[in-house]
Amino acid sequence: MAIKITDECINCGACEPECPNNAIYEGGVEWAMADGTTVKGAYVLMDGSTMDADQKNAPISVDSYYIVPNKCTECQGFHEEPQCAAVCPVDCCVPDEMYQETVDELLAKKEKLHI
């Protein structure tokens, strides 16, 4: 499953540079599928909808750092554990129960993000 950042976030920013998928954004910052990935053109999201990879999207959070679930692979294929959780000083990077994904699904997502 994807990782989420809880309300306990102290906005230290330690997690953002650790993400190999550029799935972590500072609160209030717009996001795009193309940011930090090789995705170009139309991209099919987990819910089956399609968006242009360069489309700028509204921030998921305006007050604290956030993780875009469609870009989070729990660092599968890159590291042994989610790096955001490994570096978080307040342990606010936790599994997001809304996005149940197998390791195979996470690895397939990684392959779509980094062709």
Side-chain angles (χ1 to χ4, degrees):
M1 63 184 68
I3 302 296
K4 68 179 178 181
I5 298 175
T6 66
D7 292 338
E8 286 78 37
C9 178
I10 59 172
N11 286 313
C12 71
C15 56
E16 185 181 23
E18 300 301 320
C19 182
N21 300 313
N22 198 41
I24 302 174
Y25 292 82
E26 185 174 357
V29 174
E30 293 182 330
W31 65 274
M33 290 304 300
D35 295 341
T37 69
T38 58
V39 176
K40 299 199 183 326
Y43 186 86
V44 179
L45 302 173
M46 291 186 302
D47 66 4
S49 64
T50 303
M51 73 164 45
D52 184 80
D54 291 317
Q55 175 184 322
K56 291 295 185 183
N57 300 283
I60 294 173
S61 172
V62 295
D63 298 324
S64 62
Y65 280 81
Y66 65 91
I67 298 174
V68 176
N70 278 284
K71 295 178 75 176
C72 179
T73 63
E74 288 186 41
C75 294
Q76 288 292 327
F78 295 105
H79 304 287
E80 294 293 316
E81 63 181 339
Q83 295 301 287
C84 57
V87 301
C88 182
V90 293
D91 296 326
C92 68
C93 297
V94 299
D96 188 339
E97 60 282 346
M98 290 186 58
Y99 299 96
Q100 302 289 327
E101 297 170 279
T102 66
V103 170
D104 288 340
E105 289 170 327
L106 292 168
L107 288 170
K109 188 192 302 184
K110 174 201 176 265
E111 293 304 315
K112 282 177 58 177
L113 293 171
H114 304 280
I115 298 170

